[in-house]
Amino acid sequence: LRDTYPAGVLTWGGVILAAQPAGVLGVVEAGRNGARGYIRYSVLAGLLAQLFGISVMFPLLWVPAYVLGRGSGPISNSRAAAIIPIILPGTILTVAVFSLNTDSYGWTVCAGMLGGPILAMSPVLLWTDKPPAPAAVTKEIVQGSISSVQKTYTIVTILGTIAWFIAVYFVYDAYGSAGSFGAIMVKLWSEVWVDANASVAFMTIDTIVLYISVLLAIAFQSFEKVAKAIVLTPLMGPAAASLVLKELEETRYCSDVVDKSSKKEA
């Protein structure tokens, strides 16, 4: 992929950007009360994604499991604090792999970590984590969970948007001489699909399928929000999914708080 600049960088980067909202969603949903089935086992999901490809396992197993078995309510403080340390290393290692000399020891270590099981197994740190017991949930706990998860989505949205702008710069730097916007897009599509080698074409499919899968998970919650994400995607890239997931988190919790308060008043 490094030998096919910028197509290789763009397609691999696309997978990483699409994996960011998918990763946060996966870690958060695994820690909710009532979650059952495949979505509860982040380590298993990560290992299968590493073995068979995230663009295969996420739409094939995780999204259906999310539709059928998602839980609700707050996550623990420890899980909220662990999300970024679990998600961010993949992005950092990707930058290192595309920046370091391929003959260096550092590149070998980073490539091994990126392609090996260590990242997929990082959620094992939360193996004993449990969400707050439903009977012990208070408005303060719910609000704290809202704040923590939304801050995480905000960080991912900002980082993803910056990375998207960098990708756009790469595109215009490489293909800007083609002239009009349409001509640039035709040239880009030719490089990442029509005339691409097998590796680049495979990563193009990965990026598209994974992002569509994330949008399907959002559509299950709100057609309005998935429409917003689609509209914002040209401006923000896959970070648009993180933005609307942040908004959906607040909506879900607002309903939980209202229901809980109504029961207490009754």
Side-chain angles (χ1 to χ4, degrees):
L1 290 175
R2 282 183 56 146
D3 296 332
T4 55
Y5 179 87
V9 176
L10 294 172
T11 52
W12 182 270
V15 173
I16 295 298
L17 290 180
Q20 287 181 344
V24 176
L25 186 62
V27 176
V28 170
E29 294 303 327
R32 295 197 194 277
N33 271 308
R36 63 184 188 276
Y38 184 73
I39 63 171
R40 290 189 58 198
Y41 305 106
S42 299
V43 174
L44 175 62
L47 289 174
L48 289 176
Q50 196 79 349
L51 183 61
F52 297 106
I54 189 172
S55 66
V56 175
M57 302 314 297
F58 193 79
L60 187 65
L61 291 182
W62 196 92
V63 173
Y66 175 67
V67 172
L68 297 173
R70 73 171 185 157
S72 62
I75 63 174
S76 68
N77 292 331
S78 58
R79 180 172 293 270
I83 298 173
I84 292 298
I86 288 174
I87 300 301
L88 196 57
T91 303
I92 295 173
L93 289 172
T94 295
V95 173
V97 165
F98 279 98
S99 302
L100 297 175
N101 189 310
T102 55
D103 296 325
S104 67
Y105 177 73
W107 185 91
T108 302
V109 171
C110 291
M113 294 177 66
L114 190 61
I118 188 169
L119 292 181
M121 293 186 66
S122 56
V124 76
L125 299 172
L126 299 170
W127 187 262
T128 60
D129 173 77
K130 294 182 179 179
V137 172
T138 63
K139 187 174 182 178
E140 288 71 26
I141 290 176
V142 171
Q143 289 177 335
S145 182
I146 292 173
S147 177
S148 297
V149 175
Q150 286 189 327
K151 285 179 181 177
T152 299
Y153 276 124
T154 298
I155 292 171
V156 173
T157 299
I158 293 172
L159 293 177
T161 303
I162 292 172
W164 180 254
F165 289 161
I166 293 173
V168 171
Y169 169 77
F170 285 162
V171 169
Y172 274 89
D173 182 58
Y175 310 127
S177 59
S180 66
F181 175 79
I184 292 173
M185 291 299 99
V186 169
K187 180 64 175 176
L188 173 62
W189 185 245
S190 176
E191 292 288 325
V192 301
W193 182 252
V194 178
D195 298 323
N197 62 32
S199 297
V200 172
F202 180 80
M203 299 306 293
T204 298
I205 295 172
D206 263 6
T207 301
I208 295 172
V209 172
L210 179 57
Y211 189 52
I212 290 175
S213 301
V214 174
L215 293 178
L216 287 174
I218 295 172
F220 171 69
Q221 301 179 66
S222 170
F223 285 110
E224 178 184 350
K225 294 300 183 182
V226 79
K228 180 177 180 179
I230 292 171
V231 170
L232 290 176
T233 295
L235 300 176
M236 303 174 63
S242 298
L243 178 64
V244 299
L245 283 168
K246 170 186 173 181
E247 297 171 353
L248 283 170
E249 184 77 13
E250 182 176 5
T251 302
R252 289 180 63 196
Y253 276 102
C254 283
S255 298
D256 291 341
V257 172
V258 170
D259 292 344
K260 190 175 182 65
S261 299
S262 299
K263 290 178 181 179
K264 285 186 175 180
E265 290 175 0

